[in-house]
Amino acid sequence: MNRVPDIIKHLIIINIILYIASISLQNIDLGAVLNLHYIDHPKFQFWQFFTYMFMHSKTSLLHVASNMLGLYFFGPPLYQLWGKNKFLFFYFSAGIGAAFIYMGNQYFEFESILNVLIENGLYRNEIYEMYSAAKYIPDIPISGKGAEIFSSPMLGASGAIFGLLAAYGWNFPDAELYLYFVLPVKAKYFIPVIVIADLISGITGQPLLSPVNTAYFAHVGGSIIGLIMAIIWKKNQYRMY
């Protein structure tokens, strides 16, 4: 990791420490405090829009490994381009922006499910109590989707990493990335395909390139925030004052 700037090393180390802690501390549920819960969930706190970026699935080493590899490979070129402060601002802005976009999509989807349940004679408070107890109504299939949204917190650095991907593609469009570590593809082609695939997966619910249970709209949201910032920063970098 000699070529990797210290701040990126620190981000990777923090993520790894929290991953190890989450699977090692049997009596402490870090996810209950640090994962991003649905906004009406009893465990939701505003700081989770930030802390969720440092948490990863306890059951998937690939989750944390892939995100940290993304930070390791795509972080340094952008750090060299922007410097420490702008890099950190970008990274956390993309991650927080991804969380808001993802949560906005979850909110509108959840509210549409609530309306169906209310039309079936339930009250909002009853629905929240039912979902808080991890229950749903088998007779109303859509109720299960509502329970999934309510009880499945968001976690992982993917939103911020996709922001880095978008910025990397904009600033280094002709850089070659290796599909499956074998086939070289230019960043300007490779990265849009990944983002579009996740957008389609988010709309259809069918996984294309990313695994099942991926927060697809967080990936798309991080990419959008990252691309907007990258375009603005690149446009203004030669402006004379």
Side-chain angles (χ1 to χ4, degrees), residues 15 18-19 22-23 29-38 48-60 63-64 66-68 91 95 98-99 102-103 106 151-161 212-216 218-219:
N15 276 272
L18 284 174
Y19 174 75
S22 67
I23 61 178
D29 186 2
L30 291 177
V33 180
L34 302 180
N35 293 345
L36 177 57
H37 294 83
Y38 185 71
Q48 293 168 357
F49 279 100
F50 175 81
T51 58
Y52 89 95
M53 287 184 276
F54 296 97
M55 299 295 293
H56 290 84
S57 172
K58 294 188 289 185
T59 60
S60 175
H63 189 208
V64 64
S66 59
N67 279 337
M68 293 306 98
Y91 183 81
Y102 172 80
M103 191 59 72
Q106 294 293 85
S151 61
S152 299
M154 179 184 177
L155 66 162
S158 301
I161 301 303
V212 179
N213 296 326
T214 296
Y216 301 112
H219 291 186

Side-chain angles (χ1 to χ4, degrees), residues 134-241:
K135 298 179 180 178
Y136 64 97
I137 305 171
D139 295 338
I140 308 177
I142 200 172
S143 174
K145 178 62 175 177
E148 179 184 340
I149 293 174
F150 189 82
S151 61
S152 299
M154 179 184 177
L155 66 162
S158 301
I161 301 303
F162 266 72
L164 294 180
L165 274 173
Y168 184 89
W170 185 256
N171 286 283
F172 310 103
D174 293 322
E176 289 189 338
L177 307 177
Y178 285 85
L179 182 63
Y180 300 116
F181 303 100
V182 177
L183 181 64
V185 182
K186 289 187 177 182
K188 62 185 177 183
Y189 304 127
F190 184 90
I191 294 172
V193 167
I194 295 175
V195 176
I196 292 171
D198 276 350
L199 176 60
I200 294 172
S201 295
I203 293 172
T204 64
Q206 301 298 318
L208 294 178
L209 298 179
S210 298
V212 179
N213 296 326
T214 296
Y216 301 112
F217 283 106
H219 291 186
V220 175
S223 301
I224 292 172
I225 300 298
L227 181 60
I228 291 173
M229 293 181 66
I231 290 172
I232 293 173
W233 287 2
K234 189 172 183 179
K235 180 180 179 181
N236 293 334
Q237 66 179 331
Y238 301 116
R239 180 174 294 177
M240 302 299 292
Y241 292 97

Side-chain angles (χ1 to χ4, degrees), residues 59-94:
T59 60
S60 175
L61 179 60
L62 180 63
H63 189 208
V64 64
S66 59
N67 279 337
M68 293 306 98
L69 283 173
L71 181 55
Y72 178 86
F73 285 114
F74 297 107
L78 294 171
Y79 178 95
Q80 296 300 325
L81 185 66
W82 297 328
K84 175 183 175 181
N85 292 337
K86 288 184 73 173
F87 177 84
L88 283 176
F89 179 81
F90 180 95
Y91 183 81
F92 291 124
S93 295

Side-chain angles (χ1 to χ4, degrees), residues 85-150:
N85 292 337
K86 288 184 73 173
F87 177 84
L88 283 176
F89 179 81
F90 180 95
Y91 183 81
F92 291 124
S93 295
I96 293 171
F100 273 99
I101 290 173
Y102 172 80
M103 191 59 72
N105 175 74
Q106 294 293 85
Y107 176 81
F108 286 112
E109 189 171 356
F110 187 76
E111 285 296 311
S112 67
I113 293 171
L114 277 186
N115 290 335
V116 172
L117 297 178
I118 291 172
E119 289 172 1
N120 278 270
L122 294 175
Y123 293 98
R124 183 177 288 262
N125 289 340
E126 287 181 298
I127 299 168
Y128 283 143
E129 290 174 4
M130 178 179 64
Y131 284 161
S132 295
K135 298 179 180 178
Y136 64 97
I137 305 171
D139 295 338
I140 308 177
I142 200 172
S143 174
K145 178 62 175 177
E148 179 184 340
I149 293 174
F150 189 82

